Amino acid sequence: MKEHLLDVRDLRVSFDTYAGEVQAVRGISFHLDLGETLAIVGESGCGKSVSMQTMMRLLPMPPARLKSGEILFEGKDLALLTDKEMEDYRGKEFAMIFQDSMTSLNPTMRVGNQMCEGIMRHQKVSKEEAKKIAIDMLAQVGIPNPEAAFRHYPHTMSGGQRQRVMIAMALSCNPKILIADEPTTALDVTMQAQILDIMNKLKKTYDTAIILITHDLGVVAQMADRIAVMYAGEIMEAGSAREIFYQPSHPYTWGLLGAMPNMIQDVKSELYTIPGTPPDLYAPPVGCPFAARCEYAMEACLKEEPPKFVTDGGHVSRCWLHDERAPEVTPPAGIPALKKGVKVDE
Ligand code: SF4
């Protein structure tokens, strides 16, 4: 079997609180190879950021708790590493950029010094060499006059420039995996397009693998090779970007796509929203977690959690409608007929 760069298997993460256990991530599996972009999409609170922060060991434990799962990076299980050992991976093999660059950068340090810290630690180079690498990266992400920017404090830069600095910092040690958590949410559309363009170019130049966390399907369409749709701590559908956009197979994905504004929509018509709210993860429902919001829900959906069904190649959907015994349903307008699938043993 081919070894993936990253292979996450059955990851489960909970938070222990006074009110009880919150089951934030409930058994997700995915893989990633060099040079590809995996987008993880879903509503706020679906567990996408918690999964990534667990991988990077950024969550305070407790209250967070890794209940089970393997996080195999080049075959080595990161879940078994000590915090000290993990420091050698974070920044060097994995880097992360966040939505809010203002709180992610240290406001008391010049951006150049912040970049040099990581470069010197992971690349074992002198301060002068680190400075050269940092200025070169600032130039590559399109910061005008990178020598001057090297000496700036974060608060003197615009939001778009700070986000470029974050990308430069993340890529300055040439990591194999870049995790971008809502990297463009706080930016205007022009800046958003520029940042996505930079990420795509750098990915091609360095063959970096990207995990993109977002709820913005427009961003996903521009960036992703593969997509995983998360809901209530689980992956409900996964496949290539083409499969998810042109043959979406799960009612939750249909809802997400239906909620996207489009250019030909009548300005007076109301934008579609998925009715209801996600389930309480203190006590996740028996059966399908989407059942309370799903207009196609059947009796089986309330009694038993749907297994994974493969409908095409690597296209996987966790919905009882793919079962041979399920009735035929009519998907929303513009979405092709649903295919029956083959149940996958987990
Ligand atoms: Fe809807 Fe049932 Fe499919 Fe869940 S399993 S998405 S409730 S049809």
Side-chain angles (χ1 to χ4, degrees):
M1 200 162 81
K2 181 190 169 197
E3 185 179 281
H4 297 291
L5 176 65
L6 178 72
D7 199 350
V8 174
R9 298 179 186 167
D10 196 31
L11 186 72
R12 292 173 190 271
V13 187
S14 283
F15 290 90
D16 293 313
T17 72
Y18 288 117
E21 178 189 347
V22 183
Q23 299 175 38
V25 179
R26 305 190 299 138
I28 65 165
S29 302
F30 63 87
H31 64 265
L32 186 71
D33 291 311
L34 268 179
E36 73 170 348
T37 298
L38 169 71
I40 302 183
V41 301
E43 286 163 285
S44 300
C46 68
K48 49 195 191 314
S49 295
V50 171
S51 326
M52 295 306 115
Q53 287 173 11
T54 304
M55 267 173 42
M56 293 283 283
R57 211 67 84 69
L58 292 174
L59 284 178
M61 296 201 181
R65 176 162 50 94
L66 177 59
K67 286 178 74 179
S68 66
E70 292 177 312
I71 304 166
L72 301 172
F73 174 74
E74 295 181 331
K76 192 172 181 108
D77 190 355
L78 300 183
L80 302 178
L81 298 183
T82 62
D83 287 348
K84 186 92 192 99
E85 287 168 331
M86 188 63 201
E87 281 174 17
D88 289 334
Y89 284 82
R90 205 169 31 227
K92 183 163 180 270
E93 306 287 14
F94 293 88
M96 193 157 180
I97 52 177
F98 299 91
Q99 174 180 348
D100 187 355
S101 53
M102 194 62 205
T103 51
S104 306
L105 293 167
N106 184 338
T108 66
M109 280 177 84
R110 296 177 197 274
V111 295
N113 291 344
Q114 295 187 52
M115 291 182 73
C116 286
E117 251 187 11
I119 296 169
M120 286 192 293
R121 186 182 190 298
H122 292 299
Q123 299 198 37
K124 313 279 183 248
V125 293
S126 68
K127 197 165 180 192
E128 268 320 294
E129 284 169 294
K131 183 175 175 182
K132 262 187 18 218
I133 295 171
I135 290 175
D136 179 51
M137 271 325 289
L138 289 171
Q140 284 197 50
V141 296
I143 298 232
N145 198 351
E147 284 85 3
F150 183 87
R151 293 189 297 276
H152 286 164
Y153 285 96
H155 70 270
T156 63
M157 305 175 113
S158 69
Q161 279 192 334
R162 280 197 300 271
Q163 205 61 347
R164 287 170 197 247
V165 168
M166 291 266 292
I167 295 174
M169 193 182 282
L171 294 178
S172 57
C173 293
N174 203 359
K176 294 198 174 106
I177 298 178
L178 174 69
I179 301 172
D181 190 350
E182 304 278 9
T184 56
T185 303
L187 304 175
D188 62 60
V189 282
T190 315
M191 196 52 71
Q192 180 173 318
Q194 289 176 11
I195 295 290
L196 295 179
D197 192 40
I198 289 168
M199 284 173 58
N200 265 333
K201 278 192 188 133
L202 292 174
K203 173 180 121 170
K204 283 194 188 117
T205 309
Y206 296 104
D207 212 17
T208 312
I210 297 178
I211 300 179
L212 178 68
I213 304 170
T214 183
H215 60 264
D216 185 337
L217 291 174
V219 170
V220 173
Q222 289 180 60
M223 296 282 292
D225 300 306
R226 285 187 298 115
I227 300 172
V229 181
M230 272 191 86
Y231 183 77
E234 296 180 16
I235 293 177
M236 305 309 275
E237 182 172 0
S240 68
R242 192 171 178 80
E243 285 163 344
I244 301 293
F245 281 108
Y246 292 103
Q247 179 76 54
S249 294
H250 194 283
Y252 178 58
T253 314
W254 296 346
L256 288 181
L257 291 168
M260 271 177 84
N262 67 61
M263 300 286 282
I264 51 169
Q265 191 165 346
D266 181 352
V267 285
K268 288 191 186 131
S269 68
E270 261 187 42
L271 197 59
Y272 170 78
T273 53
I274 303 173
T277 51
D280 182 354
L281 294 181
Y282 279 110
V286 181
C288 173
F290 189 57
R293 307 171 75 184
C294 179
E295 63 178 280
Y296 306 93
M298 306 164 283
E299 212 181 317
C301 308
L302 304 172
K303 290 189 178 150
E304 200 178 335
E305 183 158 21
K308 280 184 192 164
F309 288 92
V310 177
T311 54
D312 270 315
H315 192 180
V316 175
S317 168
R318 204 179 261 282
C319 174
W320 280 120
L321 291 175
H322 300 292
D323 192 287
E324 286 297 340
R325 295 162 295 176
E328 298 296 329
V329 298
T330 309
I335 292 186
L338 200 71
K339 294 183 181 172
K340 297 296 177 196
V342 178
K343 197 165 145 186
V344 184
D345 289 328
E346 293 182 66

